[in-house]
Amino acid sequence: MAMNFEQARTNMVENQVRPWEVLDGRVLDMLGRVRREDFVAPEHRQLAFADLCLPLGHGEVMMKPVLEGRMLQALELLASDRVLEIGTGSGFLTACLAGLSAEVVSVDIHADFTATAGQRLQAAGVANVRLHTGEAVRGWQPDGLFDAVVATGAVAETPSRWLAWLKPGGRLLMIRGESPAQQAVLLTHEGEGRYREESLFETDLPYLAHAAPSSRFVL
């Protein structure tokens, strides 16, 4: 029997995302409009709306819908915002960010992710995204400042260079800490080098390149 994707999408929003305290109408609408099944590998199409992380290759995963919903809500994006996404992955969150903001710059270390996401975004009619291939923890440098920066992989500690990419009032959302008890953290730039930090929820994601905890030797 063919899967009813529209019904599955509605069920995902109403039975997974909304009960996890995602109540922002713009976010729920975006998750209900972007065709998640078009942003997964063909062999995972039937699992596009399941409450689990899907493998993308290179040891990376596509986040659960509930996690994507919580992150989109926490960013409180305005239609005028310029957004940086660190970790393009499948391109699904990129498409959602683009629908909630004016412009998205997205960078991924894996060239094949960048290429595939670009094809998917073009097919979905998403035009306000610029994709780059690069390593954002130590090397790649964006052009200009952002109202919001979101990282889709974990970091052991906050990369200080990311803070310099925020406009005053800008928000940085990342998953930080040591697996398996990482925290979603929101940092808000209050101006003059001051940042307000808020812990949102616990989760667990693979680390971005060069962002894992240092190895410890135990006797």
Side-chain angles (χ1 to χ4, degrees), residues 26 54 144 169 171 205:
R26 291 177 68 229
L54 296 177
R171 292 87 64 205
L205 286 178

Side-chain angles (χ1 to χ4, degrees), residues 4 16 23 25 28 34 42 58 81 101 111 124 132 135 138 144 149 170 185-186 191 197 205 219:
N4 184 334
Q16 293 179 46
L23 304 176
L28 294 171
V34 179
H58 301 292
D81 279 351
S101 65
H132 298 268
E135 186 283 298
R138 295 180 180 174
V149 176
V185 177
L186 183 70
E197 180 172 317
L205 286 178
L219 295 177

Side-chain angles (χ1 to χ4, degrees), residues 152-199:
T152 64
V155 295
E157 299 176 353
T158 304
S160 58
R161 62 199 305 267
W162 291 2
L163 298 175
W165 300 344
L166 289 176
K167 296 178 182 178
R171 292 87 64 205
L172 166 61
L173 179 59
M174 59 190 161
I175 309 300
R176 190 184 67 192
E178 294 207 16
S179 179
Q182 301 161 347
Q183 287 276 340
V185 177
L186 183 70
L187 292 177
T188 302
H189 185 195
E190 297 188 318
E192 300 178 356
R194 297 193 314 273
Y195 299 88
R196 183 177 74 252
E197 180 172 317
E198 180 184 0
S199 292

Side-chain angles (χ1 to χ4, degrees), residues 39 56-58 60 85-92 94 104-123 126 129-136 140:
F39 286 85
L56 294 175
H58 301 292
E60 312 286 356
E85 179 188 36
I86 299 170
T88 311
S90 71
F92 174 76
T94 320
V104 176
V105 176
S106 187
V107 58
D108 201 288
I109 196 170
H110 304 296
D112 53 333
F113 284 6
T114 306
T116 302
Q119 295 167 1
R120 291 168 173 167
L121 291 164
Q122 184 176 22
V126 179
V129 173
R130 289 191 292 123
L131 300 177
H132 298 268
T133 300
E135 186 283 298
W140 181 81

Side-chain angles (χ1 to χ4, degrees), residues 19 30 33 50 55 68 72 83 92 98 106-107 109 124 133 147 188 205 209 215 218:
M30 193 57 54
R33 285 198 288 125
E68 292 165 332
L72 289 168
V83 180
F92 174 76
S106 187
V107 58
I109 196 170
T133 300
D147 300 287
T188 302
L205 286 178
S215 299
V218 180

